[in-house]
């Protein structure tokens, strides 16, 4: 399944220290191939979200190297091109947040076309055409001209996914996309994520949605105390975990 | 009953609920009626007291055109000073939030200095003290600077008001920008926007909504403070009213009249504010 080409995302020895005391990430290594779906599990405070936010530099790694689709940035490197490299990585990665973070002063459609027009310099016509396609793909064509405040949580998150996809990203990062949702709305969002995975998107997801981890993910990684404690296929992790800490954690969430 | 039967809204409502709904409705309309009566009473009271005071309405009418002629200056000064203040406020707020030490310290000192000194002193500073600075500079060998810094009354007034209100509004704009949740910045960044695009497209449009009510306050205050240019001998609204009133010993009539003119101007501003606020509230959740 996985070819031996260069990985889409390569994280090498990444550390993140907040202040001088809080060591959240302790030398993380991770390689993710094109088209692979990876789910990161772990107790809260284990550093999952921080790692995800380090990939697109919403957090600056304190040490280590991040590489996304050939763009390499070393932590702490002071280079004139650095700012451009960060923007470059952000254009290649889409991110969905726990709290959606849609722009409340724009309609669903305006949210989706904002990135392509402002960042990629597309014409409005071009952007709208693709945005409508995406709205159809997430099943929200009829909500095209609604402001986010008139949408349910699940609908908002689907618009947020469409907004990220409008940038034609190479990698999608999901930061607990269903944690803020009412239980009956989780399904519609997971459904969209699943279709995205099946269509070959490279996905890194932090989620407690067990169906997604078990049935959609190619690989599951368990994090604790700022590093991996176990990784493997979903079958192995859920049926035959080696680490007692993994077993403990799974017992809590299953 | 299952919550599924939503389509027949009026069918399942029991008669006692009907009674309570009616009560709520009458309460609402009663309140509206009483408000109208209260306002009408206040207006009548005002008119009656004006008549009881024995105001010379003929005199007022006679001088009305002369006084109103001064409103041109009031409008001119207020409008230009407001424009200047808005520009200074946005630049100042970006400075206060900037990580550039020079830009930040300049903005912080500007706000501190201007807010810490009386407007009256500032007005005279622009009008009377600036030429002296020009003179000193000319002595250092900058030719023609004194004439450049000797400002006529109206430009001096506009600069004084604009710079002063710009400082107060800087803090309003800064607070407005900071009130927008960090998630908005993060979402914009995640899309690949740079700092300028994030501010222009995402943060500022949202901050504007928060900013408008307090900024309107400043506008209204400034319209009235524009009367300070009369200190420099500009024949604007209040200056004319006071002059005429004193000369004919009918200050009461003139002051009441000019107060009304200011009031009406500010009511128009308030009306515009409400319009803008309603327009900006489009994205809100409303029950309608």
């Amino acid at each position: 399944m996985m070819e031996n080409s260069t990985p889409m995302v390569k994280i090498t020895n990444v550390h993140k220290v907040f202040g001088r005391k809080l060591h959240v990430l302790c030398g993380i290594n991770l390689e993710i191939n094109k088209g692979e779906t990876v789910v990161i599990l772990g107790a809260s405070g284990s550093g999952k979200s921080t790692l995800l936010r380090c990939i697109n530099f919403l957090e600056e790694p304190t040490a280590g190297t991040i590489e996304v689709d050939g763009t390499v940035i070393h932590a702490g490197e002071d280079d004139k091109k650095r700012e451009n490299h960060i923007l470059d990585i952000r254009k290649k990665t889409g991110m969905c947040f726990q709290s959606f973070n849609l722009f409340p002063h724009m309609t669903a459609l305006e949210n989706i076309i904002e990135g392509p027009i402002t960042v990629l310099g597309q014409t409005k016509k071009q952007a709208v055409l693709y945005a409508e396609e995406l709205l159809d793909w997430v099943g929200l064509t009829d909500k095209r001209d609604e402001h986010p405040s008139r949408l349910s949580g699940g609908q908002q998150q689907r618009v947020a996914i469409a907004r990220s996809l409008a940038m034609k990203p190479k990698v999608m990062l999901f930061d607990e996309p269903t944690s803020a949702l009412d239980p009956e709305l989780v399904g519609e969002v997971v459904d969209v994520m699943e279709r995205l995975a099946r269509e070959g998107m490279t996905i890194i997801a932090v989620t407690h949605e067990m169906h997604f981890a078990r049935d959609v993910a190619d690989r599951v990684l368990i994090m604790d105390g700022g590093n991996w404690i176990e990784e493997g296929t979903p079958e192995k992790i859920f049926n035959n975990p080696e680490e007692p800490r993994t077993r403990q954690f799974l017992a809590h969430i299953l | 009953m299952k919550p599924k039967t939503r389509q027949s809204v009026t069918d399942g409502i029991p008669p006692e609920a009907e009674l309570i709904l009616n009560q709520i409705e009458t309460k609402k309309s009663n309140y509206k009626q009483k408000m109208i009566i209260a306002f009408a009473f206040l207006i009548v009271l005002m008119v009656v007291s004006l008549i009881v005071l024995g105001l010379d309405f003929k005199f007022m009418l006679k001088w009305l055109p002369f006084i109103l002629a001064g409103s041109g200056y009031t409008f001119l000064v207020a409008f230009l000073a407001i424009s200047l203040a808005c520009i200074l406020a946005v630049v100042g707020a970006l400075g206060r939030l900037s990580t550039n030490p020079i830009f930040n310290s300049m903005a912080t000192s500007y706000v501190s200095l201007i807010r810490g000194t009386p407007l009256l002193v500032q007005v005279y500073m622009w009008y009377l003290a600036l030429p002296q600075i020009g003179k000193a500079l000319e002595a250092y060998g900058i030719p023609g600077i004194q004439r450049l810094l000797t400002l006529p009354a109206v430009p001096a007034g506009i600069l004084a008001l604009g710079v002063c209100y710009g400082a107060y509004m800087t803090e309003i704009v800064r607070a407005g920008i900071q009130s927008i949740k960090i998630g908005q910045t993060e979402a914009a960044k995640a899309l690949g926007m740079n700092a300028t695009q994030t501010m222009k497209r995402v943060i500022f449009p949202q901050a504007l909504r928060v900013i408008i009510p307090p900024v309107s306050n400043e506008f209204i205050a400034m319209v009235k403070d524009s009367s300070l240019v009369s200190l420099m001998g500009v024949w604007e609204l209040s200056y004319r009213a006071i002059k005429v009133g004193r000369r004919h010993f009918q200050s009461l009539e003139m002051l009441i009249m000019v107060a009304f003119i200011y009031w009406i101007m500010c009511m128009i501003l308030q009306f515009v504010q409400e319009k803008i606020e309603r327009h900006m509230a489009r994205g809100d959740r409303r029950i309608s």
Side-chain angles (χ1 to χ4, degrees):
Chain A
M1 297 243 307
M2 277 153 245
E3 293 154 49
N4 268 342
S5 56
T6 47
M8 179 64 87
V9 178
K10 191 173 169 191
I11 298 164
T12 317
N13 195 29
V14 162
H15 288 262
K16 176 69 189 178
V17 187
F18 286 104
R20 278 186 175 279
K21 285 181 181 162
L22 201 60
H23 202 172
V24 179
L25 299 178
C26 314
I28 294 272
N29 289 299
L30 177 62
E31 287 189 7
I32 292 148
N33 292 309
K34 190 169 186 298
E36 198 180 9
T37 298
V38 172
V39 166
I40 301 173
L41 293 174
S44 71
S46 60
K48 303 161 295 185
S49 287
T50 307
L51 175 64
L52 219 55
R53 293 159 60 84
C54 278
I55 295 174
N56 66 355
F57 285 82
L58 287 184
E59 303 283 356
E60 284 275 342
T62 323
T65 306
I66 305 274
E67 178 178 349
V68 178
D69 190 39
T71 308
V72 186
I73 304 179
H74 303 285
E77 177 190 51
D78 207 9
D79 185 345
K80 276 183 186 166
K81 287 179 184 161
R82 183 188 172 80
E83 203 53 41
N84 287 336
H85 284 169
I86 290 178
L87 290 180
D88 202 35
I89 282 189
R90 285 182 183 155
K91 281 177 215 167
K92 287 177 187 170
T93 54
M95 186 173 215
C96 283
F97 300 88
Q98 183 177 351
S99 48
F100 327 132
N101 295 346
L102 286 178
F103 305 135
H105 58 302
M106 300 179 189
T107 63
L109 184 85
E110 286 165 350
N111 264 282
I112 299 170
I113 63 176
E114 185 57 40
I117 291 176
T118 306
V119 179
L120 302 179
Q122 289 182 11
T123 63
K124 190 171 179 193
K125 212 171 161 190
Q126 228 179 332
V128 167
L129 216 65
Y130 189 46
E132 282 173 337
E133 216 174 287
L134 285 169
L135 272 174
D136 181 49
W137 191 78
V138 296
L140 289 171
T141 300
D142 55 327
K143 302 292 179 193
R144 182 182 184 274
D145 298 318
E146 294 284 6
H147 280 88
S149 56
R150 314 270 303 213
L151 302 177
S152 74
Q155 291 168 337
Q156 286 189 53
Q157 193 61 294
R158 284 188 281 155
V159 172
I161 293 171
R163 176 176 69 175
S164 298
L165 293 177
M167 298 292 291
K168 302 216 165 99
K170 301 278 177 69
V171 186
M172 280 294 289
L173 309 173
F174 287 96
D175 188 4
E176 305 206 27
T178 56
S179 300
L181 296 176
D182 289 337
E184 80 265 23
L185 301 177
V186 169
E188 58 190 69
V189 172
V190 173
D191 205 51
V192 168
M193 291 167 66
E194 197 175 331
R195 273 162 52 210
L196 201 56
R198 304 252 184 260
E199 287 186 12
M201 176 64 76
T202 310
I203 293 175
I204 310 175
V206 170
T207 179
H208 293 301
E209 196 39 51
M210 278 311 124
H211 155 68
F212 189 78
R214 204 193 283 269
D215 303 329
V216 185
D218 298 307
R219 189 151 49 117
V220 175
L221 295 113
I222 314 278
M223 189 182 253
D224 192 35
N227 217 330
W228 310 123
I229 53 171
E230 192 163 358
E231 73 159 285
T233 60
E235 296 85 60
K236 186 203 143 205
I237 295 286
F238 289 111
N239 303 333
N240 265 317
E242 284 165 17
E243 276 280 323
R245 274 185 295 174
T246 308
R247 245 172 275 161
Q248 225 173 44
F249 172 72
L250 290 175
H252 271 297
I253 58 170
L254 288 183
Chain B
M1 206 202 292
K2 283 269 161 79
K4 274 272 166 98
T5 55
R6 233 189 227 168
Q7 54 271 42
S8 53
V9 183
T10 43
D11 280 2
I13 299 176
E16 59 267 36
E18 200 74 62
L19 210 67
I20 289 172
L21 287 174
N22 282 341
Q23 273 175 9
I24 292 171
E25 257 167 42
T26 24
K27 245 186 212 167
K28 265 189 199 162
S29 64
N30 273 355
Y31 171 74
K32 260 189 199 161
Q33 272 176 12
K34 281 176 190 161
M35 277 298 273
I36 292 169
I37 292 169
F39 269 120
F41 180 71
L42 279 180
I43 290 168
V44 169
L45 199 69
M46 211 159 61
V47 172
V48 167
S49 54
L50 286 182
I51 293 168
V52 168
L53 281 171
L55 288 186
D56 185 347
F57 288 107
K58 260 193 197 149
F59 177 76
M60 285 168 89
L61 212 63
K62 185 185 152 205
W63 285 100
L64 181 63
F66 175 74
I67 307 272
L68 272 180
S71 64
Y73 278 120
T74 301
F75 272 121
L76 179 79
V77 170
F79 180 76
L80 290 179
I82 283 169
S83 310
L84 176 64
C86 284
I87 296 166
L88 286 174
V90 171
V91 175
L94 292 177
R96 294 271 286 144
L97 296 168
S98 166
T99 47
N100 179 326
I102 297 170
F103 194 25
N104 191 318
S105 61
M106 272 169 59
T108 307
S109 321
Y110 161 60
V111 172
S112 171
L113 176 71
I114 298 295
R115 287 205 306 182
T117 50
L119 178 53
L120 189 63
V121 172
Q122 289 173 31
V123 169
Y124 280 133
M125 197 61 105
W126 286 100
Y127 189 52
L128 299 176
L130 208 57
Q132 202 180 333
I133 295 173
K135 195 179 163 195
L137 286 175
E138 200 150 298
Y140 283 113
I142 307 169
I145 190 84
Q146 186 181 0
R147 231 189 46 208
L148 202 71
L149 290 183
T150 306
L151 299 171
V154 172
I158 291 168
L159 279 172
L161 281 171
V163 168
C164 177
Y165 276 82
Y168 286 95
M169 279 160 56
T170 290
E171 288 301 275
I172 296 175
V173 175
R174 178 189 59 79
I177 288 172
Q178 283 180 322
S179 74
I180 306 305
K181 277 186 290 178
I182 186 78
Q184 293 291 310
T185 309
E186 288 183 347
K189 277 185 178 176
L191 283 176
M193 288 193 200
N194 60 34
T196 314
Q197 290 165 338
T198 304
M199 184 55 74
K200 222 169 94 184
R201 301 290 310 163
V202 177
I203 305 302
F204 199 71
Q206 293 184 59
L208 207 54
R209 262 201 71 198
V210 188
I211 291 168
I212 278 180
V215 161
S216 307
N217 251 351
E218 299 291 312
F219 281 8
I220 286 172
M222 191 196 280
V223 166
K224 293 170 298 168
D225 273 353
S226 68
S227 62
L228 276 172
V229 294
S230 65
L231 290 172
M232 300 175 282
V234 177
W235 285 65
E236 52 74 66
L237 268 180
S238 53
Y239 188 72
R240 285 169 186 239
I242 291 164
K243 278 267 158 162
V244 173
R246 273 207 181 143
R247 195 188 315 148
H248 298 269
F249 198 65
Q250 289 192 306
S251 282
L252 179 64
E253 277 91 348
M254 286 297 105
L255 290 178
I256 284 179
M257 195 162 81
V258 81
F260 262 103
I261 295 171
Y262 277 114
W263 194 10
I264 290 165
M265 276 161 59
C266 291
M267 281 200 285
I268 294 169
L269 272 181
Q270 194 183 339
F271 176 75
V272 173
Q273 174 200 346
E274 278 166 15
K275 276 259 161 153
I276 296 174
E277 263 181 59
R278 219 168 297 152
H279 179 73
M280 303 286 284
R282 278 166 313 170
D284 279 6
R285 183 188 293 270
R286 268 164 303 171
I287 303 161
S288 51

